[in-house]
């Protein structure tokens, strides 16, 4: 379920339903396997977007339609691209936790 439905389950004290939903999500993640590449076809994207619209999640519905899915960072090409976008820091950032974050 979308985050609104999950919040309502919690708010209404439907803890058994909330746990059942969590267990279902966990099983689905196990079936996909670690780092699985989740690419949805257009029909699946539309179905997910419709569910989100019915739940009042218009921004998430838009994102669901435009999403290209997630990529496995263990894939060498994906890892290279991530390293290009997020290079290793060349020097430590000098800061004083007490002084700089008041």
């Amino acid at each position: 379920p979308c985050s609104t439905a999950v919040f309502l389950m919690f708010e209404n004290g439907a803890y058994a339903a909330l746990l059942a939903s969590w267990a279902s999500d966990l099983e689905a993640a196990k079936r996909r396997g670690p780092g699985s590449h989740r690419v949805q076809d257009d029909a699946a994207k539309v179905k997910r977007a419709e569910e989100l619209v019915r739940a009042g999640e218009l921004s998430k519905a838009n994102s669901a339609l435009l999403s290209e899915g997630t990529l496995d960072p263990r894939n060498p090409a994906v890892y290279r691209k991530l390293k290009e976008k997020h290079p290793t820091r060349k020097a430590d950032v000098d800061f004083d936790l007490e002084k700089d974050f008041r």
Side-chain angles (χ1 to χ4, degrees):
C2 69
S3 57
T4 302
V6 169
F7 176 76
L8 289 174
M9 281 187 251
F10 179 79
E11 189 176 59
N12 294 327
Y15 303 121
L18 188 59
L19 287 173
S21 172
W22 173 77
S24 174
D25 289 347
L26 185 61
E27 286 303 314
K30 285 180 183 176
R31 283 192 301 276
R32 284 192 304 269
S36 63
H37 181 82
R38 300 184 312 158
V39 176
Q40 294 179 327
D41 62 13
D42 288 341
K45 286 182 180 183
V46 170
K47 181 180 177 188
R48 175 71 179 140
E50 288 172 342
E51 292 170 358
L52 290 166
V53 167
R54 281 192 289 277
E57 300 280 357
L58 302 181
S59 181
K60 288 183 181 181
N62 183 56
S63 294
L65 287 172
L66 299 176
S67 173
E68 295 296 326
T70 56
L71 300 175
D72 185 352
R74 296 174 297 178
N75 176 315
V78 173
Y79 183 79
R80 268 192 311 280
K81 193 63 152 178
L82 285 170
K83 290 298 279 182
E84 286 174 19
K85 288 184 174 188
H86 309 281
T88 303
R89 189 180 307 274
K90 292 185 170 113
D92 289 337
V93 175
D94 186 34
F95 72 95
D96 181 331
L97 185 61
E98 293 297 320
K99 186 177 92 181
D100 296 337
F101 292 98
R102 286 189 203 186

